[in-house]
Amino acid sequence: MKKYVRYSLVYNPKKKLNKYGKALVYVSAYLPGENRQYFSTDIELSPAEWDPVRRQVNARSPYMNFKNAECAALIRQLVDIEMMLRLKGARVSVYNIKQEYRRQDDFSDFYDFTRFFFGGACEGECDKQGRVLLPAN
């Protein structure tokens, strides 16, 4: 029987607030028999803005719907990574999911993305403004 990773939102797992009285919301990924891995949503909330029963941002927070949608989008992205690993036939573990998530996050900058895909092929073939010069036919 296949084991699937369980994802849940966790508010302030470190039990420590910053100097503004806020803490981060994390996505916790757990597979039975392995350690938990935490993925940051980069959403800071005060304790009053978090609903511990529903495990979501409550109505006291401005942009509540946007923040909840952002958390759900991160969970969907992690589930997609898990399914991709299963389709590839790779071993599915929370560590592998975290590594794949970090690898996908490396292309956050368009410059890094183009350098990765075009490599050193256009290093000497660019003009002074950095535009790639295409060979003339």
Side-chain angles (χ1 to χ4, degrees), residues 109-126:
D109 186 7
F110 183 73
Y111 178 71
D112 293 338
F113 174 78
T114 54
R115 273 189 51 214
F116 176 78
F117 280 103
F118 296 118
C122 63
E123 298 242 337
E125 304 166 6
C126 297

Side-chain angles (χ1 to χ4, degrees), residues 12-52:
N12 195 13
K14 297 176 183 178
K15 306 292 183 216
K16 192 172 184 181
L17 301 175
N18 64 13
K19 65 181 180 180
Y20 303 109
K22 296 185 175 193
L24 286 171
V25 177
Y26 291 89
V27 173
S28 170
Y30 176 70
L31 186 66
E34 294 188 22
N35 291 333
R36 285 183 199 279
Q37 293 287 334
Y38 293 98
F39 300 87
S40 178
T41 61
D42 295 328
I43 295 174
E44 284 189 342
L45 300 173
S46 66
E49 295 173 330
W50 179 252
D51 186 355

Side-chain angles (χ1 to χ4, degrees), residues 133-137:
L133 298 176
L134 299 174
N137 289 335

